[in-house]
């Protein structure tokens, strides 16, 4: 049996793994499915790399760019034969470190100096001409009825956008276009010795052309564009932006910007046109385009695997990696990890956390051009859903891919349509009022799904159950116990736990308590909702996961808190796990789902009806927790607070709670103070004003921090804190976690003093 460099036996599956075999080339996420579950980090003898497949492990590697150096990111995977090296030498080829493969501290100093042009506020000015460009390309084929979108548009636009962003004069652009493909095969492919020679010629030509253009730009560096910015920075700080960087970047940036975006756009169109209902939804509501693009980048990204090298003996996902061990971190696999994405194999443009994909990488080296790529892709899609909503994929076409480990997208994409049906032939207004997208990650408010109320049923005094279905009769997304959806109206968003049965994929059920003292939504809802109404929802999402590995469970529901708990009880019963269920309420008449709970969970149930004098005595109910037992509770604040106090003596991770509402999410600038945040990984310093949250300040600076509830309830916006004292305002962290002072919720918590340092 083969052994890994750390002396461990290599499993038969790992021994067989070869990314150049058909399964990985066809679908890398699928090819790694077995590994994701069974052997998430493994040594591949055929590649001599350690392959990392799970979300959290991929993230950990991306995050620590000192232990896991990016220096091999652009190294040739298949070494060049001496003849090819000679050819390259003949062209003066001298590719050195750029940015993506530069170590610290040089990388961050350089990135900061050259970041300005990529900031959201500086990208806005490019939108209008990008749209013009897209229209111009579409005009060329809109009346033809058939087109290869890759050849006629998707390869062209990202190159033109990149060249203009860089400031490269138009007359030079043509030459550069010819050669950029060679770089992919040269870096990530496994070319034969003969192919190596041809590739070396092409790469050499590419290099030479890029140098000639650069020389001209250097001779008069007064032009506009990022390459000119870089030349000027080189003149001012030659130590931080050296000439070797300029020379290498002139070529590398085109690869970074061109094929990545061209492939991503192609993959997105193929995915959307193969999921016609999603395409139709976008045609109806183009505000969904940003979230649809992120979901496409998640399931069909154009960069599927990236590389790092260990600078010391270390661990990834508990597996020993020796110093010098090379890692293939497979983003496509992480993007399908069920530990992070609910129903990861489902394509769902309404998914709330698609933008947490790793297709743009993560951490200090995260793609600087992500918002340019997003802008291009969104504008292209917006123009298509307006001007050619009726296109179809040409049936039975075959898709070819360049064989390589990392860049993925077909070399052609044929579509057809009936030109007579082009909407603009009937009304020219199609071209007016295009959708204006904000720059950056999708806006949460835009990711809403339309559903129809199918049923409204009284469940108890002041509680109704509402059944929701898709307007077109389609299945709704699967969900796990503890999940909730949000009802969204123009004025408010409210969380409701899902309480139906998961077997019925056509229906989502929620229970709503009429709360006259509440914020108004529930009363209005009770009074007006009726079958046939159209509602907007976000989710399902789950911040109250049931850990199915515990030995025993105590479930505690207070009042309407029964909704997530009932789904958990159903699941535990189905799994055959031991559990007890305490259900407390003011009286039987107010307790929803009583009949169902008594019918399905009678053996586990203890009922505490207040008006019968039966109150839950928490200390005695929880006095003898078994080893490995977990407690799940949802109910009023005082119940959860009492549980929180008891849990201080329990092992970490025993208590899981779901709060109904945040304490207060209203920021009063009068009583807040401004503070400074230092982002250690990005080497940035930001000011958080007394009128804004930390999350708002981060987003404004182009730093994507995922967020969801924005009320301190869900834990999505957690950031790690390395220095400074925190004023915690969330309901997520336990007292012990707060005292540790090493993480905070960016949406609501603030600095207790003047400054915080974050590991971002
Ligand atoms: C880095 C993907 C478009 C410029 C990266 C990385 C990935 C990536 C995976 C490495 C991240 C890491 O090591 O953590 C993509 C994808 C794109 C895209 C999927 C399109 C869909 C662009 C565009 C530009 C660009 C349009 C420029 C106009 C860069 C630069 C870096 C980079 C400069 C290096 C950042 C650093 O190391 O600090 N990109 N990219 N990318 N990308 Fe992109
Ligand atoms: Fe939910 Fe911050 S976004 S806790």
């Amino acid at each position: 049996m083969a052994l890994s460099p750390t002396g461990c036996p290599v499993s038969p599956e790992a021994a067989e793994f070869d990314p150049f075999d058909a399964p990985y080339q066809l679908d890398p996420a699928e090819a790694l499915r077995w590994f994701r579950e069974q052997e998430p980090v493994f040594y591949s003898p055929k590649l001599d790399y350690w392959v990392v497949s799970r979300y959290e492990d991929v993230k950990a590697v991306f995050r620590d760019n000192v232990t896991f150096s990016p220096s091999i990111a652009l190294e040739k995977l298949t070494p060049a034969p001496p003849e090819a090296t000679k050819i390259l030498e003949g062209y003066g080829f001298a590719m050195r470190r750029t940015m993506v493969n530069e170590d610290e501290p040089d990388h961050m100093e350089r990135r900061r100096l050259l970041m300005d042009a990529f900031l959201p506020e500086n990208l806005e000015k490019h939108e209008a001409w990008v749209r013009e460009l897209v229209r111009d390309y579409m005009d060329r084929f809109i009346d033809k009825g058939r087109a290869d979108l890759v050849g006629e548009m998707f390869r062209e636009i990202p190159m033109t956008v990149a060249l203009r962003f860089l400031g490269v004069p138009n007359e030079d652009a043509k030459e550069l276009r010819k050669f950029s493909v060679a770089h992919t095969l040269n870096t990530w492919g496994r070319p034969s010795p003969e192919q190596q020679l041809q590739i070396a010629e092409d790469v050499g030509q590419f290099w030479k052309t890029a140098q000639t253009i650069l020389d001209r730009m250097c001779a008069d560096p007064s032009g506009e564009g990022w390459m000119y910015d870089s030349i000027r920075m080189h003149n001012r700080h030659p130590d931080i932006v050296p000439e070797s960087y300029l020379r290498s970047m002139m070529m590398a940036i085109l690869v970074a910007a061109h094929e990545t975006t061209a492939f991503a756009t192609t993959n997105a169109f193929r995915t959307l046109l193969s999921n016609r209902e999603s395409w139709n939804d976008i045609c109806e509501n183009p505000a969904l385009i940003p979230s649809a693009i992120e979901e496409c980048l998640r399931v069909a990204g154009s960069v599927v695997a990236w590389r790092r090298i260990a600078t010391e003996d270390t661990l990834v996902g508990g597996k020993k990696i020796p110093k010098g061990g090379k890692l293939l971190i497979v983003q496509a696999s992480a993007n399908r990890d069920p530990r992070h994405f609910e129903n990861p194999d489902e394509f769902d443009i309404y998914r709330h956390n698609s933008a947490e994909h790793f297709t743009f990488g993560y951490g200090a080296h995260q793609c600087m051009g992500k918002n340019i790529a997003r802008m291009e892709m969104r504008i292209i899609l917006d123009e298509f859903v307006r001007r050619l909503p009726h296109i179809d994929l040409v049936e039975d076409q075959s898709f070819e891919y360049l064989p390589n480990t990392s860049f993925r997208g077909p070399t052609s994409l044929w579509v057809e349509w009936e030109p007579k049906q082009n909407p603009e032939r009937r009304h020219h207004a199609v071209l007016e009022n295009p959708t204006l997208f904000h720059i950056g990650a999708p806006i949460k408010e835009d990711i809403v799904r339309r559903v129809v109320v199918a049923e409204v049923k009284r469940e108890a005094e002041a509680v109704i159950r509402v059944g929701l279905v898709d307007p077109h009769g389609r299945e709704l997304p699967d969900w796990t116990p503890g999940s909730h959806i949000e009802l969204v109206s123009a004025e408010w968003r409210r969380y409701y736990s899902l309480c139906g049965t998961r077997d019925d994929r056509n229906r989502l059920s929620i229970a709503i308590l009429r709360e006259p003292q509440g914020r108004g939504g529930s009363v209005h809802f009770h009074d007006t909702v009726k079958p046939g109404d159209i509602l907007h929802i976000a989710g399902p999402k789950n911040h109250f996961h049931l850990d199915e590995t515990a030995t025993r469970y105590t479930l505690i529901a207070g009042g309407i808190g029964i909704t997530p708990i009932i789904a958990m009880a159903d699941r535990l019963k189905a799994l055959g796990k031991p559990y007890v269920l305490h259900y407390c309420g003011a009286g039987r008449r107010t307790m929803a789902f009583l009949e169902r709970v008594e019918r399905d969970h009678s053996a586990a149930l203890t009922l505490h009806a207040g008006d019968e004098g039966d109150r839950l005595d928490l200390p005695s109910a929880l006095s003898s927790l078994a080893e490995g037992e977990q407690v799940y509770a949802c109910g009023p604040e005082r119940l959860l607070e009492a549980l929180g106090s008891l849990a201080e003596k329990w092992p970490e991770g025993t208590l899981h709670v779901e709060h109904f509402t945040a304490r207060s999410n209203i920021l009063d600038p009068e009583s807040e103070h401004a503070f400074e945040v230092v982002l250690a990984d990005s080497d940035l310093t930001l000011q958080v004003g007394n009128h804004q949250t930390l999350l708002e300040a981060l987003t404004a600076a182009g730093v994507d921090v995922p967020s969801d509830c924005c009320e301190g309830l869900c834990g999505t916006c957690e950031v790690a804190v390395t220095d400074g004292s925190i004023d915690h305002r969330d309901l997520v962290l336990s007292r012990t976690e707060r005292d540790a002072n090493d993480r905070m919720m960016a949406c609501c918590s603030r600095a207790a003093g003047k400054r915080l340092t974050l590991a971002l």
Side-chain angles (χ1 to χ4, degrees):
M1 182 182 270
L3 294 181
S4 76
T6 47
C8 297
V10 173
S11 70
E13 289 80 4
E16 275 303 298
F17 176 78
D18 185 340
F20 290 94
D21 282 351
Y24 182 96
Q25 289 298 316
L26 284 174
D27 186 346
E30 191 54 40
L32 283 166
R33 183 184 294 276
W34 181 89
F35 293 100
R36 231 166 17 245
E37 295 314 314
Q38 307 297 331
E39 204 186 342
V41 180
F42 65 94
Y43 175 71
S44 158
K46 288 193 181 170
L47 200 61
D48 189 22
Y49 269 69
W50 298 81
V51 182
V52 185
S53 64
R54 279 192 186 168
Y55 191 91
E56 280 308 320
D57 297 338
V58 167
K59 186 171 182 175
V61 174
F62 267 132
R63 273 215 64 209
D64 183 352
N65 61 326
V66 175
T67 310
F68 304 104
S69 156
S71 57
I72 59 162
L74 301 183
E75 185 179 281
K76 261 173 84 64
L77 198 64
T78 311
E83 298 85 332
T85 312
K86 216 179 226 151
I87 294 175
L88 285 170
E89 279 168 11
Y91 284 102
F93 182 75
M95 188 66 151
R96 303 281 179 271
R97 300 292 180 83
T98 52
M99 186 115 64
V100 79
N101 54 358
E102 183 64 282
D103 282 315
E104 303 305 345
D106 295 1
H107 159 260
M108 200 39 91
E109 265 188 296
R110 197 173 294 158
R111 183 170 162 122
R112 280 180 55 206
L113 275 187
L114 302 175
M115 190 65 186
D116 260 18
F118 292 94
L119 290 176
E121 73 253 33
N122 295 331
L123 289 180
E124 273 165 22
K125 62 174 182 276
H126 300 299
E127 275 196 296
W129 67 259
V130 172
R131 196 172 283 272
E132 279 311 308
L133 186 71
V134 172
R135 289 193 170 175
D136 179 39
Y137 272 94
M138 283 185 83
D139 286 344
R140 300 179 195 182
F141 58 71
I142 191 137
D143 290 323
K144 288 207 304 199
R146 193 177 158 96
D148 163 24
L149 293 182
V150 178
E152 295 181 47
M153 187 170 180
F154 296 165
R155 287 198 67 75
E156 296 294 314
I157 288 191
M159 188 63 162
T160 312
V161 172
L163 291 168
R164 187 147 165 195
F165 176 76
L166 299 181
V168 175
N170 243 346
E171 60 273 17
D172 290 324
K174 231 192 292 149
E175 278 298 295
L176 286 175
R177 281 172 214 272
K178 280 201 258 168
F179 307 115
S180 70
V181 186
H183 192 73
T184 302
L185 285 179
N186 188 43
T187 312
W188 296 280
R190 197 181 270 173
S192 65
E194 300 76 56
Q195 285 171 320
Q196 292 264 23
L197 302 186
Q198 183 55 50
I199 286 174
E201 283 290 346
D202 288 350
V203 170
Q205 295 266 16
F206 188 6
W207 173 265
K208 206 172 124 195
T209 315
Q211 301 317 309
T212 313
I213 296 169
L214 180 67
D215 289 341
R216 250 201 319 271
M217 294 171 88
C218 287
D220 175 12
S222 61
E224 204 182 314
W226 189 64
M227 216 53 222
Y228 283 114
D229 296 347
S230 304
I231 294 167
R232 287 190 287 264
M233 278 301 173
H234 160 69
N235 293 339
R236 279 182 15 216
H237 305 277
D239 47 333
I240 304 175
V241 183
E243 185 176 340
S244 69
Y245 158 82
L246 280 188
R247 302 227 155 263
S248 304
M249 198 54 163
M250 185 65 217
M251 181 168 141
I253 188 69
L254 288 173
V255 181
H258 177 209
E259 275 188 285
T260 50
T261 316
F263 281 152
T265 312
T266 311
N267 292 344
F269 269 70
R270 185 178 170 194
T271 308
L272 285 165
L273 290 170
S274 311
N275 288 274
R276 193 76 207 186
E277 285 160 347
S278 302
W279 175 270
N280 293 342
D281 285 1
I282 299 172
C283 293
E284 255 176 51
N285 179 13
L288 288 168
I289 285 175
S291 64
I293 293 286
E294 298 302 314
E295 179 67 349
C296 291
L297 287 166
R298 184 186 74 85
V299 301
S302 51
V303 178
V304 295
W306 211 240
R307 289 181 287 164
R308 294 283 192 260
I309 183 166
T311 55
E312 57 187 70
D313 288 351
T314 182
L315 292 175
V316 177
K319 194 106 168 185
K320 276 191 200 155
I321 308 288
K323 179 175 177 180
K326 295 181 176 185
L327 294 108
L328 186 75
I329 37 181
V330 189
Q331 294 124 293
S333 171
N335 290 348
R336 296 271 193 100
D337 186 341
R339 288 154 206 82
H340 192 82
F341 296 103
E342 295 273 310
N343 317 313
D345 299 322
E346 265 178 38
F347 176 72
D348 182 4
I349 59 170
Y350 301 95
R351 187 182 290 279
H352 67 285
N353 63 348
S354 305
E356 290 168 29
H357 63 73
F358 286 140
T359 301
F360 290 129
Y362 181 82
H365 285 269
Q366 198 194 37
C367 179
M368 282 167 81
K370 66 185 176 190
N371 288 328
I372 301 181
R374 281 169 167 157
M375 179 206 291
E376 287 176 55
M377 294 173 72
R378 291 170 185 180
I379 292 177
I380 293 175
L381 190 50
D382 189 47
E383 288 296 315
F384 267 83
V385 299
R386 279 163 198 283
R387 302 183 70 189
L388 288 176
H390 50 304
I391 55 169
D392 263 320
L393 287 177
V394 168
E395 272 181 34
D396 300 327
Q397 61 182 307
S398 55
F399 294 103
E400 276 181 34
Y401 292 86
L402 288 178
N404 78 97
T405 54
S406 297
F407 278 29
R408 203 186 134 73
T411 49
S412 63
L413 185 76
W414 284 96
V415 292
E416 58 190 356
W417 66 96
E418 176 50 76
K420 281 197 211 110
Q421 286 175 18
N422 291 358
E424 63 205 57
R425 292 197 181 184
R426 274 166 284 135
H427 25 257
H428 203 70
V430 169
L431 292 170
E432 287 159 19
N433 307 319
T435 317
L436 295 178
F437 301 106
H438 104 120
I439 310 250
I443 299 180
K444 175 179 99 160
E445 279 66 25
D446 289 337
I447 314 176
V448 288
R449 185 190 311 264
R450 286 172 72 228
V451 287
V452 184
V453 175
E455 180 193 29
V456 180
K457 191 169 175 287
R458 190 174 182 277
E459 275 294 339
E461 188 178 290
V463 180
I464 51 170
R465 174 164 58 81
V466 180
L468 305 168
V469 297
D470 180 85
H472 305 287
R474 296 173 290 194
E475 283 194 345
L476 288 165
D478 196 7
W479 54 279
T480 46
S483 297
H484 67 270
I485 55 170
E486 276 171 276
L487 287 186
V488 180
S489 84
E491 293 85 38
W492 49 262
R493 292 171 83 95
R494 295 279 182 279
Y495 276 54
Y496 294 101
S497 297
L498 290 169
C499 57
T501 60
R502 288 173 62 205
D503 305 337
D504 185 357
R505 288 291 311 273
N506 288 315
R507 177 173 301 225
L508 296 174
S509 293
I510 52 175
I512 301 176
L513 171 69
R514 186 186 174 92
E515 289 177 287
Q517 314 307 328
R519 287 180 285 177
S522 71
V523 171
H524 173 77
F525 207 70
H526 264 251
D527 291 345
T528 58
V529 71
K530 56 184 183 316
D533 284 357
I534 295 280
L535 300 180
H536 292 95
I537 65 168
K541 315 176 188 183
N542 198 342
H543 305 312
F544 188 37
H545 274 283
L546 179 67
D547 173 358
E548 296 184 356
T549 63
T551 51
R552 276 178 54 86
Y553 298 81
T554 294
L555 307 178
I556 302 175
I560 194 67
I562 188 64
T563 47
I565 296 293
I566 199 171
M568 289 185 170
D570 289 348
R571 176 71 182 155
L572 293 174
K573 188 176 174 192
L575 290 173
K577 291 274 191 175
Y579 66 99
V580 294
L581 166 59
H582 293 278
Y583 183 11
C584 333
R588 284 171 182 263
R589 62 182 199 293
T590 65
M591 294 168 78
F593 304 110
L594 204 50
E595 212 174 284
R596 183 171 143 202
V597 176
E598 286 183 322
R599 183 193 67 210
D600 296 343
H601 302 287
S602 60
L605 179 68
T606 314
L607 214 58
H608 306 276
D611 61 0
E612 293 169 24
D614 185 356
R615 293 190 179 275
L616 170 61
D617 176 1
L618 279 176
S620 66
L622 295 162
S623 60
S624 54
L625 288 185
E627 169 118 17
E629 178 162 353
Q630 294 191 10
V631 179
Y632 290 79
C634 182
E637 222 38 42
R638 60 178 189 286
L639 174 80
L640 302 186
E641 267 170 27
L643 271 167
S645 306
L646 284 177
E648 278 168 33
K649 298 188 210 78
W650 301 344
E652 267 307 298
T654 303
L655 178 65
H656 307 259
V657 297
E658 172 97 312
H659 291 269
F660 291 150
T661 46
R663 284 181 183 130
S664 167
N665 64 337
I666 299 162
L667 199 64
D668 173 12
E670 296 281 299
S671 54
E672 303 295 352
H673 67 271
F675 57 98
E676 188 170 82
V677 272
V678 179
L679 309 187
D681 294 351
S682 326
D683 212 2
L684 276 179
T685 301
L686 309 177
Q687 305 302 325
V688 183
N690 59 346
H691 61 287
Q692 63 180 164
T693 65
L694 169 58
L695 183 65
E696 285 164 354
L698 290 168
T699 310
V703 182
D704 292 351
V705 173
S707 66
D708 184 22
C709 70
C710 292
E711 296 185 70
L713 292 170
C714 70
T716 311
C717 63
E718 180 176 311
V719 289
V721 180
T722 53
D723 196 29
S725 132
I726 307 163
D727 172 4
H728 289 287
R729 308 209 180 156
D730 65 282
L731 289 169
V732 179
L733 297 178
S734 67
R735 209 162 295 171
T736 332
E737 287 168 332
R738 285 170 179 227
D739 293 346
N741 198 64
D742 58 2
R743 49 186 149 148
M744 69 189 286
M745 299 306 143
C747 68
C748 58
S749 299
R750 305 181 69 81
K754 291 204 168 112
R755 187 178 229 246
L756 285 174
T757 305
L758 308 181
L760 265 182

